Amino acid sequence: MLKRKNGCYHFRRVVPSHIRDALGQTEIWLSLGTHRKRDATSRAGMIYGQVENLFCFLSGGGALPEKFDLKNYLLEMVKLHPSDFKEDWLAGASAGIDVKKKYLSGASDRFLQQFVQDVDGRNAHLLNEIQRLGAELEAAKAAGNHEREGQLLALLGQAISKIPDMSQQAPAAPVMHHQIPPKISSVPFRDIANRYLEIKRASVSIETYNHFVAACSLFGRFTDTTRELHTFTRKDSSAFINVLRQMPKYWGKSPKEETMTLGEIVAYHRTRNPGYVTLSTDTMSRHINKMAEIWSYAISIGELDDKKEYDIWSKHMVTAINEQTVDRRPFKETELAALMETLWKPRININTVRQIISVATYTGMRLEEICRLRPCDIHEVEGVLCFDIRIHRDADGKEIWNPKSEAGERLIPVHSYIKNSTGLIERAKNCEKSKRDRIFFDLPYAASTNKYGAAFSQRFSKFKKDAGLPRETTFHSFRHLFRTMLGHRSDGLNYPVEWIDQILGHETAGMGSHYNAGTTPSNLMKVVRTVKFESWDPMEIKNR
C-alpha cells in the first residue's frame, strides 16, 4: 500500500470488487506529500483506517452522495489526528462533524443517523460544560472570590462562543428519531477523596495521613471539589503543578492566607518578597503522588474507567523555581561550647533536656526513638546493658509505633557516660516501679503528628538559635556527630562498617539489622565506647 514514485511516497489501496460500483473506482491512489518513509508510514496508517471504515460502510449496504470527493474527504479526515484533541474532546468532535457535513450531505440514512448522533453528542457535552461553569461561577460569587469569578467568566464566554449558529446550518437530512447518548458521569473529587482518606486513616501513620490531607487541601483550594473526576484533564493537573511550583515554602503562616486562593497566596508573597523560597521538588512530587493514588483508587473501585485519558498525574516534569535545601551536618566543637553557655528556657524540665541530649550524643538515636523509650527498653543482652529499639504494641498486641525502617529495630550498648553521669538508668528504674509507660513521661504528646518529640524539637530549635548556631545544625546533628565520632579510633582499631550501620539503624547490603543477624552486643560495645569528648558535657547545659 506504500508506493514511491518520483521521490514521493503514495498510498495505494485496491478497492474490493463488490463495492467498486458503489465507490465509483477500482483503486485509491493518494499522494502522501513526503519523501521520508517514517512520515509516509504514519500518514498511510491513518488513511488506511479511514479507508477501512468506508469499505465496511459500503459493504453493509451504505450509499455515498452522488458527487462524493473521496480524495479530499480522506485528506481532511486524516488531518484530525486523535492526539491533537486529547485534551479537548469537544474540538475533535466538532472538527469531525464539519468534515462529514461538508462531504457526506446527501448520503444514505444509515450514515446520516451516525452523523446526527455525533452532533447530539457534541452538543450534550457542550451543554454540560456550560452548566458546570455556571454552577462554579455562582459558587465563586457567593464566596466573594473575585479572581476565580473572573477566570470562570472567561471560560464561560469561550464555551458559549462554541455554540453552533443554527441559522447557518442547513439540515443534512430529514428529521430523524434518535437517542441522545447518556451523559458520562463519575464521582466528584470531594467524595472519592474523603472515601480514600477514611481507608488510609486506619492503615498508615498519622504523618503519612497528614500528607494526604495536605495534598487534598491544596487541590481543593485550586479547583471546585464538587467537580466530577472524569472531567479533569492533563491540562488541569499541569495547571495545578504550575501553581505548586510558585507556592512559597512557608505559606499558611499568616491568618490573611486562610481565605486566599493559591493564586492569591502566590501574589501576596511575591509582593512582600520577590525572591521567596518555593516548595521543594520532593514536596511537590509527594503532593502529585498522593493525587495519583486517589485517581488510581477511583479506577480500582470502578468509579472511573481505566483509560489512558484519565492518566493525568504521571510523567510530569517537576522542578522547583527557588528551592533552598539545607544539608544537616555534625556540630563543631565551638558550637557545642556555645550550647553549654546558652540558657535553656522553661517549659521542658532541664533534667529531661540534659538526659535526652546525652542519649542523642552517645547513641546517635533519632529524637522520637529517644522520647518513646520505656523502662523495659533498657536491659541486658548477653551481659551487655543495651537500649532496645523495637516495635511498640498495646495490651492487645496492636502495633502503636514502629521504628523508621526494618533496620531501625536494633540494640545499642549503653555508653559509660550515660550509666555514670546522667542518672538515666536510675530514672528508668523509678519509672518501672511507679508503672510509668515512658522514661520521659513529662513530654507532651502531639496527636496531629503522633509524636512525643514535637514540642522538644521546637524548643531545641529556639535554643540553638539563641546560641547563634546556623540553619544547617538541628537536633539531628547529634546523630551526625555520633556517626563522625565512631570513625575516630584512639586505639588504632578499625571496626567493620557493618557494625557502625547496625548501631545507627542503617540498612547494610547482605546483613540483617538485628544483633542475631549481625554481630554481638559485646562487639557493638567496643565501637560505642570509642566515642569520647574532651569538653562537651550535655549535663552542664545551663538553666535559667
Side-chain angles (χ1 to χ4, degrees):
M1 290 178 289
L2 197 62
K3 303 293 182 182
R4 187 167 186 174
K5 183 178 181 181
N6 298 328
C8 183
Y9 282 98
H10 293 71
F11 174 86
R12 179 179 180 270
R13 180 78 162 88
V14 176
V15 178
S17 58
H18 65 283
I19 60 173
R20 288 177 182 174
D21 292 338
L23 192 60
Q25 53 193 89
T26 59
E27 68 174 21
I28 299 173
W29 188 281
L30 194 63
S31 173
L32 298 174
T34 180
H35 63 279
R36 300 181 60 183
K37 189 171 183 179
R38 176 179 295 180
D39 294 342
T41 302
S42 175
R43 296 175 189 176
M46 290 185 286
I47 292 176
Y48 178 83
Q50 294 293 336
V51 168
E52 283 300 304
N53 288 337
L54 202 58
F55 286 176
C56 289
F57 168 71
L58 294 174
S59 297
L64 294 170
E66 292 183 3
K67 296 181 179 180
F68 178 59
D69 189 345
L70 175 63
K71 176 181 177 180
N72 287 322
Y73 171 78
L74 290 175
L75 289 176
E76 291 201 29
M77 287 298 288
V78 167
K79 290 178 183 178
L80 310 179
H81 197 279
S83 62
D84 294 335
F85 303 98
K86 181 179 179 182
E87 307 291 352
D88 191 350
W89 177 89
L90 181 63
S94 297
I97 289 171
D98 290 340
V99 175
K100 290 180 180 179
K101 181 173 63 176
K102 180 177 179 180
Y103 292 97
L104 298 177
S105 180
S108 65
D109 287 350
R110 181 181 168 191
F111 214 144
L112 289 171
Q113 184 174 6
Q114 181 61 49
F115 175 76
V116 172
Q117 288 178 353
D118 289 347
V119 174
D120 286 337
R122 188 271 308 273
N123 293 344
H125 181 94
L126 184 57
L127 179 61
N128 290 333
E129 182 70 5
I130 291 174
Q131 290 175 343
R132 182 186 66 79
L133 290 172
E136 285 192 42
L137 179 60
E138 291 301 319
K141 287 181 178 179
N145 188 340
H146 301 300
E147 179 184 7
R148 183 59 177 163
E149 185 179 342
Q151 294 173 348
L152 290 168
L153 281 171
L155 292 173
L156 192 58
Q158 294 175 13
I160 293 174
S161 68
K162 295 179 182 178
I163 298 177
D165 185 355
M166 302 306 294
S167 63
Q168 297 180 6
Q169 295 191 29
V175 177
M176 302 172 59
H177 296 288
H178 54 273
Q179 294 182 342
I180 297 177
K183 176 182 177 291
I184 300 173
S185 64
S186 65
V187 67
F189 168 78
R190 178 182 59 192
D191 294 350
I192 199 67
N194 288 338
R195 285 160 63 180
Y196 191 58
L197 285 174
E198 283 302 312
I199 293 173
K200 302 304 287 185
R201 185 193 296 271
S203 60
V204 300
S205 67
I206 290 181
E207 186 174 8
T208 301
Y209 175 77
N210 287 339
H211 288 163
F212 276 104
V213 173
C216 291
S217 176
L218 277 169
F219 194 65
R221 295 180 74 161
F222 168 75
T223 188
D224 178 13
T225 58
T226 62
R227 182 175 168 185
E228 292 182 340
L229 219 58
H230 79 277
T231 64
F232 289 99
T233 67
R234 197 169 185 83
K235 285 184 178 179
D236 294 309
S237 61
S238 296
F240 175 60
I241 293 170
N242 186 51
V243 174
L244 285 184
R245 292 179 68 244
Q246 302 174 67
M247 286 292 291
K249 181 178 181 179
Y250 302 106
W251 73 278
K253 304 294 183 181
S254 171
K256 295 180 181 179
E257 299 176 38
E258 293 179 1
T259 58
M260 291 183 181
T261 64
L262 299 189
E264 289 171 341
I265 291 174
V266 169
Y268 172 69
H269 282 266
R270 187 173 290 145
T271 301
R272 299 182 65 192
N273 177 20
Y276 65 86
V277 179
T278 59
L279 293 181
S280 68
T281 301
D282 288 343
T283 300
M284 289 189 289
S285 297
R286 187 179 68 227
H287 290 323
I288 295 168
N289 291 336
K290 300 309 179 191
M291 288 293 101
E293 281 193 44
I294 292 175
W295 258 252
S296 297
Y297 170 69
I299 292 173
S300 70
I301 62 175
E303 293 287 4
L304 191 66
D305 291 337
D306 188 7
K307 295 181 178 179
K308 189 175 181 180
E309 62 193 270
Y310 298 140
D311 178 21
I312 67 173
W313 295 105
S314 65
K315 299 180 181 179
H316 286 281
M317 297 295 292
V318 183
T319 55
I321 294 177
N322 186 21
E323 178 180 12
Q324 291 185 7
T325 58
V326 178
D327 293 330
R328 293 176 292 190
R329 60 164 176 80
F331 290 111
K332 300 177 181 178
E333 289 186 12
T334 54
E335 293 168 342
L336 293 173
L339 291 178
M340 292 176 60
E341 295 300 322
T342 303
L343 295 178
W344 178 273
K345 296 179 181 179
R347 292 192 183 179
I348 296 178
N349 182 275
I350 187 60
N351 196 45
T352 296
V353 172
R354 291 167 177 165
Q355 290 177 343
I356 288 177
I357 294 178
S358 295
V359 174
T361 300
Y362 288 94
T363 66
M365 289 166 59
R366 302 174 180 93
L367 177 58
E368 191 64 19
E369 292 174 340
I370 299 172
C371 295
R372 285 184 176 269
L373 282 173
R374 304 165 298 181
C376 62
D377 291 331
I378 303 178
H379 59 90
E380 286 193 0
V381 180
E382 299 179 8
V384 178
L385 189 64
C386 297
F387 291 104
D388 191 352
I389 312 302
R390 51 186 166 171
I391 295 174
H392 293 189
R393 301 183 186 277
D394 60 17
D396 298 325
K398 182 180 178 182
E399 182 181 305
I400 56 177
W401 179 75
N402 201 326
K404 188 173 181 180
S405 65
E406 183 181 350
E409 294 188 68
R410 64 198 188 277
L411 293 173
I412 307 174
V414 179
H415 195 281
S416 59
Y417 174 88
I418 296 177
K419 284 184 186 178
N420 305 326
S421 304
T422 64
L424 181 69
I425 306 303
E426 291 74 15
R427 178 172 182 164
K429 291 178 180 178
N430 291 334
C431 288
E432 187 174 15
K433 290 178 183 178
S434 59
K435 296 183 179 180
R436 298 276 191 181
D437 291 335
R438 293 176 298 106
I439 295 175
F440 301 111
F441 54 85
D442 52 333
L443 294 177
Y445 172 69
S448 61
T449 58
N450 189 32
K451 290 183 177 180
Y452 285 98
F456 183 91
S457 178
Q458 293 175 0
R459 299 304 302 170
F460 182 82
S461 178
K462 192 173 188 318
F463 174 59
K464 67 103 177 178
K465 286 181 181 177
D466 291 342
L469 272 59
R471 290 180 58 196
E472 55 266 26
T473 57
T474 64
F475 185 86
H476 203 78
S477 295
F478 287 116
R479 183 169 169 84
H480 292 297
L481 177 66
F482 179 73
R483 177 67 178 84
T484 302
M485 297 304 293
L486 286 177
H488 294 170
R489 302 289 173 262
S490 59
D491 53 10
L493 296 175
N494 288 321
Y495 299 107
V497 68
E498 291 83 1
W499 294 7
I500 297 174
D501 287 340
Q502 188 176 338
I503 294 169
L504 288 167
H506 289 163
E507 296 284 0
T508 302
M511 190 194 87
S513 60
H514 201 268
Y515 77 99
N516 285 330
T519 189
T520 62
S522 59
N523 281 335
L524 296 181
M525 175 57 85
K526 294 177 183 178
V527 183
V528 169
R529 67 188 179 194
T530 62
V531 178
K532 298 176 182 178
F533 296 93
E534 293 184 5
S535 57
W536 167 237
D537 186 352
M539 297 304 293
E540 293 296 324
I541 292 176
K542 296 178 173 61
N543 186 27
R544 172 179 290 182

